[in-house]
Amino acid sequence: MKQQTIVCVVGTRPEAIKMAPVIRALRNETWARPYVLLTAQHREMLDQVMRLFDIRADDDLDIMRPNQQLPALTAQLITALDSALGRAEPRAVLAQGDTTTVFCAALACFYRRVPFGHVEAGLRTGDLHYPFPEEGNRVLASRLARWHFAPTESARANLLREGIADNEIYVTGNTVIDALLDVAPRARGIDLSFAKGRRLILMTAHRRENFGAPMEEAFGAIRALIDRFDDTALLYPVHPNPNVKQPAERILGGHPRIRLTAPLEYEPFVAAMKAAYLVITDSGGVQEEAPALGKPVLVLRNETERPEAVDAGVVKLVGTDRVRILDEASRLLSDLTAYRAMARGVSPYGDGKAAGRVVATIRSDVSS
Ligand code: UD1
Ligand code: UDP
């Protein structure tokens, strides 16, 4: 069989982490020529992951601009992706998740009549505006996709409810667990001496709908929490988006038990998750990874498109309200029974074999 070009589009850090197992699985297939197309909606954060997983770009659109706004980002992506698809002439295109890169990739494929496979399909909160713009990106990408790789049965049910044909949905697990299981056993490279003898709290935050007052309120609550428990220390790798970085430095900076760092490479970040007593985040990927490592997670959001770990009792939504964050986190830090109930290793998002299932599906369709 003639080799088929399979374009893998990657824009941001989490897409690189979650597409790396798929790209690696494609490399092992004789029928496939994986072609890595970076939009580089992120730059440094994306390049870190590319290095770790030893993935080189076949094309790099180098889109990122400081403090980019959605309309300009979208316009640039559509035009640049269309030209890139013209150069690559793919048999199929794959992209993961819910960023503006993914929505634009799905639309660019539609215009060129190239089949599009959506990895991590079917996540929904049910509110088009929350998270923003990700829920919109998900719904739009699903409407245009040919293959829907759903991580869980509930994601599959969401797609069926929207009228997606049953025989176009494949429940694969989430490829993030493939990446995590690869990296976790060898994860090291983080200096945690500032937290020595203390319980480590690991935090990340970046959601657009939390920008401004909600994020500032959450940061204030976290500082008060660290003050309240003097046997704790906070590690917070700050997202480079200026809407996050500025309030983070203003509200959380200058505290002896709070360490603000640049984004960590994936391996040291996984090491930090392993070392953490508690994880506080608004990240999607971290909500999937931390439960698999047995770490309780408090989510700085009111809704989640990842209900499985909440239902299992190992992830709790606390929003950005000061009182709620302080109450829930204080309970976990002072009540060992409550803590242990949430610190169970459960992995509702996958078994580490998702990428192989994605590739097997594409293989059977493009070779028939
Ligand atoms: C984006 C995605 C979000 C995803 C998140 C993962 C959109 C609209 N948002 O959010 O869905 O959850 O990535 O992290 O698709 N920046 C850098 N260096 C980097 C990356 C970002 O300096 O390597 C700064 C730039 O100023 C950039 C800004 O962050 O303009 C925002 O980046 P952008 O990709 O638009 O949004 P994120 O908030 O990162
Ligand atoms: N991550 C990382 N370094 C960090 C923070 C997070 O490698 O400093 C990883 C994390 O393990 C997860 C992914 O980045 O796999 C999550 O990315 P992000 O929170 O930016 O995006 P989301 O998952 O919310 O789309």
Side-chain angles (χ1 to χ4, degrees), residues 13-14 17-18 42 45 48-49 98 176 204 206-207 237 239 262-267 269-270 273 281-286 289 306:
R13 166 175 66 193
I17 293 168
K18 291 174 169 180
H42 283 175
M45 295 212 296
Q48 289 178 342
V49 184
D98 52 21
V176 78
T204 75
H206 72 79
R207 301 241 73 93
H239 193 292
L264 294 173
E265 300 217 3
Y266 187 53
E267 219 175 281
F269 185 77
V270 172
M273 274 195 288
T281 191
D282 64 11
S283 159
V286 177
E289 293 163 335
R306 295 167 171 87

Side-chain angles (χ1 to χ4, degrees), residues 110 177 262:
F110 174 69
I177 303 297

Side-chain angles (χ1 to χ4, degrees), residues 74-91:
T74 306
Q76 263 187 297
L77 280 168
I78 290 288
T79 319
L81 278 165
D82 180 64
S83 306
L85 293 181
R87 291 189 287 276
E89 297 184 2
R91 174 70 179 78

